[in-house]
Amino acid sequence: QVQLVESGGGSVQAGGSLRLSCAASGDTYSSRCMAWFRQAPGKERERVAAFYTGDGSTYYADSVKGRFTVSRDNAKNTLSLQMNSLRPEDTAMYYCAAGPLMNWCPWPPTSYVYWGQGTQVTVSS
């Protein structure tokens, strides 16, 4: 089992930056996909970034490419999401998720097994 706790959310003006962190505990050594999702009110949950722990591969949604960076600090068992050049449309609840023991990163949120509680990001114009 993997337990996940997000932190780092808050309110920021458009153009600003935030860094989200996801602290993992439990089975943190098996190779799996770790991902950040977001969900705004009335919208579907979408994957914004993913990180495959087996080889360090990263993946980004088109809407955040060039602005967001996902990384992992293995020593601290922490997954981070650096968010720059934030826009009002980035406003959402952001969730950290861990996938099954696969060798690639799935796209559908239903493929992910473990979820954090979420952290709110609000970007004002």
Side-chain angles (χ1 to χ4, degrees), residues 12-15 67 85-92 121-125:
V12 65
Q13 289 184 310
R67 299 189 298 120
S85 301
L86 284 163
R87 305 165 180 169
E89 53 263 42
D90 295 319
T91 295
V121 172
T122 302
V123 184
S124 60
S125 60

Side-chain angles (χ1 to χ4, degrees), residues 58-75:
T58 58
Y59 310 86
Y60 298 95
D62 288 343
S63 59
V64 306
K65 285 181 179 177
R67 299 189 298 120
F68 291 11
T69 303
V70 64
S71 61
R72 184 174 188 243
D73 185 338
N74 192 56

Side-chain angles (χ1 to χ4, degrees), residues 28-34 51-57 72 105:
T28 60
Y29 62 89
S30 298
S31 296
R32 65 173 80 239
C33 187
M34 303 291 295
F51 185 103
Y52 178 58
T53 64
D55 61 9
S57 297
R72 184 174 188 243
C105 282

Side-chain angles (χ1 to χ4, degrees), residues 81-116:
L81 184 68
Q82 178 66 46
M83 305 185 294
N84 298 324
S85 301
L86 284 163
R87 305 165 180 169
E89 53 263 42
D90 295 319
T91 295
M93 185 72 75
Y94 283 71
Y95 298 91
C96 180
L101 300 181
M102 300 171 63
N103 61 1
W104 65 290
C105 282
W107 172 68
T110 53
S111 296
Y112 291 79
V113 179
Y114 307 104
W115 293 84

